Every structure is written in C-alpha cells, then in structure tokens.
Amino acid sequence: MKHLAGRALTLLAVLALIGLLPWLTTTDPALTILHARYSDRQPTPEVLDAIRAETGLDGGPAHVLGGWAGGLLHGDLGTSWVSGQPVGPDVTAALATSLSLMGVSLAVALLLALALSARTLRRGARREATTTRAGVLAAVLAALPEFLLAAVLATVLAVHLGWFPALGWGTPAQAVLPALAMGVPAGALLGRLLDDALPAAFAEPWAKAATAAGLPPRRIARHALRRTLPALLPQGGLVVVGLTGSAVAVETLFAVPGLGSTALAGALAQDLPVLQAAVLMLLLTGLAAALAVRLLSRVLLGSALTDRALPALVAPRLPARKGVAAGAVVLAVVFGAVLVAGLLRDPLHVDAATRLLPPSAAHPFGTDALGRDVLARLGHGAARTVLLAFAVAAAALLLGLAAGFLRAGALTETVNALPAVLAGLLTAAVAGPGPWGAAAAVAAVAWAPLAAHTEALYVQERAAPHLAAARSLGAGRAHLLRRHLLPAVLPAVTRHALLRVPALALALAALGFLGLGTQPPAPEWGRMLSENMPYVERAPWAVLAPAAALAVLGALAVLLAAAVRGRTGADTATATATATAPTAPAAHEAAV
C-alpha cells in the first residue's frame, strides 16, 4: 500500500507540473493564440485580455491547474490554441499510431537482441568456453542516431530501390522502415545486455547439473534466458518507453502521425494544450510499461523472490580477448587527433564557392551546404557535444546517488517514463530552445537509471553481515555511509555513469537535430546532422562525419570498459553482476 501511495503522489505531482505549463512558459499564451487565430488583429492589451478570459488563462496558477484538471475528470484534454479544435481526438489517434509502431519496432528489437546473443547462448548451452566480448558491433548499432538510420533507409530502400514507401502510415509496408530505424538501436542495446548476462547464468550449478543429466542444449538455453530476463526487464521497459516517446525524429522524417511528432508540433508552435495531452499519454504509457515489467518479473521468479531464495548472478571470469586494451588506446588516439585537427580550423567561415565539396587535402572531411569545413565543425562540436555529455553525466551521477540512497523509487519510476526528447520538448515549451535547456532536459531524466542502480546496491549492501558487525561496535550512520556504503556503491555506479556518456551525447544530438538544442551557426553534432540531412545524397560526408563520431564514441566506451574489466578481473564483474541480480524487489528497478 505504501508503495502504491508513493507512486500515486509522484504521479499527481507530475500531472500538476504538466497542468501548469501554460503558467510556467516564458511566452505569453495570448500572443500565441492571437497569431494563430486572429492574425488580422493588433496585440493590444484589451485584445490580449479578452483572449485570456476566453481561454481561462486570466487567473493564477491554481485557476489554470484547476481548469485543466477539471477537464481531465470529464474526459476533456483541452482545446488547441492554434486550431481551436478539441485536442482529445487527434491525440488519441496519434497514441494508437505510436503504439502500433512501437509494437512492430519492439519485435525488430527482440529479434536483433536474440541474434546478437545467439553465439553466447549456443556455446553456453553446450558448455563450450567463451571469451569476453567487447560488444563493439552492438555498441556501434546502439550509438547510431535513429534519425540518421531512418534517412539512410529511406534513401536506399525507398528512393533508390523502391522497395518500401518513404512517407505515410496505414499499410504494413509503410511500417517497415520506421520500425527498422527505431528497432535496430534498441535491439543492439538489449542484445548487448543479454550477451553480458548469459555467462553468469550458465556458470551456475543448475546449468552444470543439467548438462551432466543429459538435458538437451535447447532446454538449458531456455532456462538460462528465463534466469537472466528478470534482471533485464527494467531495460525492456525503458525501451518500450523510448520506442513510444522518443520516436519524434523518425515520425517526423517518415510523416507518421504519431504521438512524438504531435508533441513536437505542439512544442514548436507553442500550442501547449496539444503538448500537455501528448505528455500525459506518454507518461501513462510509461507507467503502464513499468507496472507490466514489475508483474512479469514476479511471475518469472515466483516464490524465489519473496523468500529471498534466489542467489545473485555472478559473472565468471572469462579470458579477455587479445588486443582489446590496445584497440581502445589506438581508437582513442586517432579520435582525439581528428578532433584536435578540427579545433585548429575555423568552424564558422562561410565560402559559397566551396559548397558541398568532397573530401580533399584542403578539406579532409569535405564541406557542408554553406561551404564550411566539416572537420572544423566536428572538432569544435565535440566540445559542445562530448564535454556537455560528460557534464550531464556528472550531474546525473550526483542526483542518482542522492535519490538512490534516499530510496526514491516512486520518483525514479515516474521519471523513467519520460524520455529525454520529451523532457526537451517540455523545456523548450517553457524556456525556449537552447543548449543549456537541452542539457537540463537530458539531466532531468538521466539520473533515474543511476538512482535505480544505486538503490539496488544500497539495499543489498545494507543487509551485509559486516554492516551488522559495525553497528554492534557502535558505528554511526555517518561512519557506515563513509566507510562501508559509499565504497561499495560509488565505484559501480560511477562506471555505469561513464558508460552512459555515449547515450547522453546521442540524446543531446537528437535534441539538436530537432532544433531544440544548440542554435545555428554554432557547431554541434546533432545540429550538423540536421543541417546537412537535406543534402545527404549529394554530400554524404557532411552527415557521415558526425554520425561516425557518435558511433566511435559508443565503441570507445565499450572497448575501454572491456579493457578495465580485463585488468581488474573478477571483482568488477562480480560488482556489476551483483548490481543487476534480482535478489530483492528493488533490484528489478536497476537499469544497468
């Protein structure tokens, strides 16, 4: 009951924030309505006051919130400021479209995840030795921007080959390209997590006993999947939320009338009733996914969870693949050299005579549509994209540690239901687009997985025998936190935060692509993708450069993590496995 009450209060708080959007925005809603409906009128104080009175915006925050909440109780999601029509029918239809696209994309993601982990699943079921896999392919696929993958698929499969339609929604053929663009990165993430978790399941005594008893490898593999799925289900819930709420760019590129594109149109037009309704629908979808994940976890584990009879999944110490550390160093040096070379050039110099030039000695990465050097913009954009991603990761780490130690599970689950792109739309609606608003939006949701990880580690460490011994010797809370809890939690959560830097950079790039982040002419990787996407056929190098930089950043994170794991040995693997082990209900909230 306490668990449900906490989540209900958190949901009410978020709903209140959504309802107050017209009051929180820095722009005058009356001006937005005047420009949309009455463009022939002058914005005199009398006209603006009349519009506020007509729309119920003439009162304070309590009046605005009360009017919106009262409409919800009667099934009224509001009236569009731009069209003057009820919001409910359009948003409900958009939700149905997004859920259909999410279902197809999820099927693609699950198939790809199984394909990426098939080798480990097959060899583990046969008791064959495996080596530590860096997961570079999965990392590169997961780091591919969805909007870039969507553009490439549309150009190749729709325009050149004519296999699928490039725009629209309503037929199975029109769902193929958007589902591939969204499902491939999500499937790569799930496949990497599953591939990392399977060796721990195959190392347990039951797997050895099953092999000795002559059970077929197929049954052993099925049981290993059942053993690892509960710890991975929270990530699956996040993927469902992301496929529904973060599909803004894909829906926009393919002209899919989904909830993401509807929310983007409302944010850009300052049509806040549309944005409010879209956010509400996405939030309820995310909470439903979180509830389904929790119930499915309990079904899979049964009484082993409630009786605390399930041992932690401890990853075995596998032989590291040769050359992982060397490969990470070489890739980091090359990547750093490219960025330094770009920093030595002028990213803002415009030369119309050199528009869309291919790579050459003068311009190693070519030029863009304004004749600007792509290498220069790539190097200077790294400071805005990568460094800002590290800053966001640091802020998310501090917030995640605080929320995890305070065990704010209700708030964590609710924030997990808000994708970074959606938070960016809300921030843009309130404060307008900009780099700091985009960073604040990403940080506002990036702490939630770290908080869940912290809480899972904290719950398990607090029950350790050495803490009971320390308490019996008179240790206070400050001593326990400083000498026992923080040393056990901080290293693993810090590594988790570092591994999320590529995802944060990708989220910032997505907001830049949508025009909600860094504004022109400043260089930023997402902005570079957005500016050069119309010229992808004539000048693919202008798009491939920032996309490759994002992919290399993801590969670097995985290679460095694999190198560190190989040097530190089994202790790092054990800490990570323990963090994701389903030994308590809170462990199922860990998004590792």
Side-chain angles (χ1 to χ4, degrees):
M1 184 64 66
K2 182 179 178 181
H3 177 82
L4 294 177
R7 276 146 184 78
L9 290 176
T10 305
L11 178 60
L12 289 176
V14 175
L15 289 177
L17 180 62
I18 297 173
L20 288 173
L21 274 180
W23 183 74
L24 294 173
T25 180
T26 56
T27 60
D28 188 354
L31 280 174
T32 302
I33 299 173
L34 176 66
H35 293 156
R37 298 190 197 174
Y38 315 107
S39 58
D40 56 332
R41 297 186 184 180
Q42 295 297 321
T44 62
E46 294 77 13
V47 172
L48 295 179
D49 288 339
I51 293 176
R52 295 188 189 100
E54 177 187 351
T55 56
L57 297 173
D58 53 344
H63 179 75
V64 173
L65 179 60
W68 184 72
L72 287 182
L73 294 177
H74 294 88
D76 182 11
L77 295 178
T79 302
S80 170
W81 290 352
V82 174
S83 66
Q85 299 298 317
V87 170
D90 291 339
V91 172
T92 304
L95 175 62
T97 300
S98 291
L99 291 178
S100 301
L101 180 57
M102 181 271 292
V104 182
S105 302
L106 185 61
V108 173
L110 294 177
L111 290 175
L112 180 59
L114 289 175
L116 290 173
S117 58
R119 180 177 178 273
T120 301
L121 194 64
R122 182 179 65 254
R123 292 177 65 87
R126 296 176 179 176
R127 309 300 301 170
E128 297 177 1
T130 59
T131 58
T132 300
R133 299 177 58 190
V136 175
L137 174 61
V140 171
L141 292 177
L144 282 177
E146 294 175 348
F147 46 83
L148 175 64
L149 188 57
V152 172
L153 290 174
T155 302
V156 176
L157 300 182
V159 177
H160 289 300
L161 299 179
W163 291 354
F164 302 101
L167 299 173
W169 180 261
T171 64
Q174 290 174 322
V176 172
L177 297 184
L180 287 175
M182 295 167 53
V184 168
L189 172 65
L190 294 177
R192 176 185 162 195
L193 293 173
L194 180 59
D195 189 71
D196 288 340
L198 283 172
F202 287 123
E204 289 190 321
W206 69 264
K208 301 176 182 178
T211 303
L215 265 67
R218 183 177 302 177
R219 289 190 60 185
I220 298 176
R222 187 166 63 248
H223 285 293
L225 283 174
R226 181 185 177 93
R227 179 70 174 92
T228 55
L229 279 181
L232 301 180
L233 279 176
Q235 286 292 345
L238 291 177
V239 166
V240 169
V241 173
L243 291 177
T244 307
S246 297
V248 181
V250 175
E251 290 180 358
T252 302
L253 284 170
F254 288 106
V256 177
L259 208 54
S261 58
T262 301
L264 176 63
L268 295 180
Q270 291 291 307
D271 194 355
L272 295 190
V274 174
L275 182 61
Q276 285 177 297
V279 171
L280 177 63
M281 293 297 181
L282 288 173
L283 180 63
L284 295 178
T285 302
L287 292 178
L291 179 61
V293 163
R294 182 177 292 274
L295 293 176
L296 185 56
S297 297
R298 292 183 177 275
V299 169
L300 288 174
L301 293 178
S303 59
L305 177 64
T306 55
D307 297 340
R308 306 287 178 93
L310 194 66
L313 277 174
V314 179
R317 184 172 184 176
L318 303 176
R321 302 181 78 179
K322 297 180 179 180
V324 170
V329 172
V330 171
L331 187 59
V333 170
V334 174
F335 189 52
V338 170
L339 297 182
V340 170
L343 289 172
L344 300 177
R345 296 166 174 260
D346 184 2
L348 301 179
H349 177 67
V350 176
D351 186 359
T354 60
R355 293 180 65 251
L356 303 177
L357 288 182
S360 62
H363 304 284
F365 285 3
T367 61
D368 64 8
L370 296 179
R372 296 172 298 190
D373 187 78
V374 173
L375 176 59
R377 296 185 65 77
L378 188 70
H380 286 266
R384 297 178 178 272
T385 305
V386 180
L387 295 182
L388 194 57
F390 274 102
V392 171
L397 175 62
L398 295 177
L399 292 173
L401 287 171
F405 278 114
L406 293 175
R407 302 189 64 183
L411 182 61
T412 300
E413 283 187 359
T414 304
V415 173
N416 264 337
L418 296 174
V421 172
L422 180 56
L425 293 176
L426 294 175
T427 304
V430 174
W436 297 111
V442 175
V445 297
W447 62 266
L450 300 177
H453 190 182
T454 300
E455 185 176 348
L457 289 172
Y458 170 68
V459 168
Q460 296 175 75
E461 185 65 20
R462 197 179 60 172
H466 66 86
L467 252 70
R471 290 193 192 96
S472 66
L473 294 175
R477 292 185 177 180
H479 177 83
L480 293 176
L481 180 65
R482 185 177 68 255
R483 301 297 298 272
H484 296 278
L485 294 174
L486 272 178
V489 173
L490 188 59
V493 179
T494 302
R495 288 191 295 270
H496 183 181
L498 289 174
L499 287 175
R500 284 193 170 270
V501 169
L504 296 177
L506 186 60
L508 291 169
L511 292 177
F513 174 80
L514 294 171
L516 304 176
T518 301
Q519 299 301 297
E524 191 267 339
W525 293 354
R527 169 60 57 182
M528 291 175 64
L529 288 167
S530 176
E531 291 172 342
N532 297 299
M533 193 67 73
Y535 311 97
V536 66
E537 291 190 58
R538 294 178 56 191
W541 50 85
V543 173
L544 291 177
L550 288 169
V552 169
L553 189 63
L556 264 177
V558 176
L559 284 173
L560 291 174
V564 170
R565 181 179 178 180
R567 293 186 63 182
T568 55
D571 53 340
T572 302
T574 302
T576 304
T578 305
T580 57
T583 56
H588 295 286
E589 300 168 6
V592 181

